[in-house]
Amino acid sequence: MKLRAIGGEQKAGRSNGWRGAAARFLRRIGAAAVLLLLATGLALWWAARWTPDRAIYPVQGVTIDADNGEVHWGSIKAAGADFAYIAATDGTAGVDARFARNLSRARDAGVQAGPIHRYSLCHLATDQAANFIRHVPRRADMLPAAVWLDYDDRCPDRPTRALLLSELATFLAQIETHMGKQSLIAPGPAFEADYRVTRGIARTTWLRRDFFEPDYGAHPWAMWQANDYVRLSGADGTVGWNVLRAGGEMR
């Protein structure tokens, strides 16, 4: 009887020891999960507010599109935006639903603005230029147009570099005649790696890289989209935050 009791106590001890170890392990996992959530929340909070130092980059601005809803441009200006680039046209038929309103209200608030055209690899340059010219007014006080160059899941075409550069040159020539000033080109990192646009098109460049200066262009950037996660009280969702290189200018 005593041997049986001792055996039972040993089994109970082993069982309790296993349960205790499991409980300690789960507490550690829970604590680690809480710390991870706190760290993630802190990182998101920081990312939503970080902008480059104005002592280094005194001229800063935003990128705005229809996803930002009804933009309160007075609040955007109060947040420190000296200028804005506003989504305007896309390919041959796309038009940002809020472009005209955003352009007008930015001007009323004293924020100088420029249009963005999202270039499509699936459409002819002349047709895209016609879409841009149809919807973007020519104004002396408007910033140069920016041509956004990136891949789009809606467009599987991948033309040769020679064809892309030829078509892009045609597009630029036509919209620049309309605007009366040269455009910026804004290639994404993957697009630039494949097509080396900044080597083939002599234009001011607008490059993109969150939190760290971009270095993927053939020439120093004039404008840098430094944070695509900024949240402002005057706009829904997130906005892109841009800086102008010190000593640079856009007319």
Side-chain angles (χ1 to χ4, degrees):
M1 294 295 292
K2 289 182 179 180
L3 290 176
R4 289 180 181 175
I6 291 170
E9 289 173 359
Q10 289 175 338
K11 289 180 181 179
R14 287 194 296 271
S15 177
N16 289 335
W18 180 86
R19 289 193 182 95
R24 288 193 296 273
F25 176 74
L26 290 174
R27 283 196 296 271
R28 290 172 183 167
I29 291 294
V34 170
L35 288 174
L36 179 60
L37 287 173
L38 287 173
T40 300
L42 181 61
L44 291 173
W45 179 89
W46 176 84
R49 289 159 178 78
W50 180 84
T51 58
D53 187 349
R54 278 193 181 267
I56 302 173
Y57 306 108
V59 181
Q60 306 194 8
V62 293
T63 307
I64 293 288
D65 62 26
D67 290 341
N68 296 123
E70 189 70 27
V71 177
H72 300 283
W73 283 97
S75 298
I76 298 298
K77 184 175 182 180
D82 303 303
F83 65 90
Y85 266 90
I86 302 171
T89 51
D90 182 344
T92 59
V95 182
D96 188 283
R98 294 183 180 270
F99 169 66
R101 180 180 300 178
N102 278 327
L103 186 64
S104 174
R105 294 189 176 180
R107 186 182 297 117
D108 291 344
V111 178
Q112 193 173 16
I116 297 173
H117 176 84
R118 294 182 180 273
Y119 190 86
S120 172
L121 296 177
C122 283
H123 298 107
L124 292 175
T126 52
D127 294 338
Q128 296 192 60
N131 184 35
F132 178 90
I133 292 167
R134 187 180 306 117
H135 294 99
V136 178
R138 173 175 175 150
R139 292 186 59 101
D141 63 350
M142 193 179 297
L143 292 174
V147 183
W148 203 262
L149 299 164
D150 229 334
Y151 293 124
D152 187 335
D153 291 340
R154 299 169 299 174
C155 173
D157 288 5
R158 297 294 181 267
T160 64
R161 180 173 183 264
L163 179 57
L164 179 276
L165 293 179
S166 175
E167 281 287 283
L168 184 56
T170 297
F171 175 79
L172 290 169
Q174 293 184 13
I175 70 166
E176 288 169 358
T177 297
H178 169 67
M179 295 291 287
K181 58 188 72 178
Q182 281 200 337
S183 304
L184 289 79
I185 55 172
F191 196 97
E192 174 66 14
D194 290 342
Y195 284 106
R196 305 185 308 283
V197 179
T198 60
R199 291 183 181 275
I201 298 289
R203 291 295 188 282
T204 301
T205 56
W206 174 9
L207 302 183
R208 294 169 257 158
R209 188 182 182 192
D210 290 327
F211 314 122
F212 300 96
E213 286 193 38
D215 57 4
Y216 59 85
H219 311 288
W221 52 267
M223 192 160 71
W224 163 32
Q225 181 170 287
N227 187 355
D228 197 30
Y229 302 99
V230 170
R231 290 185 177 273
L232 301 176
S233 60
D236 295 342
T238 60
V239 303
W241 193 265
N242 309 289
V243 300
L244 190 63
R245 182 180 290 280
E249 60 180 298
M250 294 179 296
R251 295 180 180 178

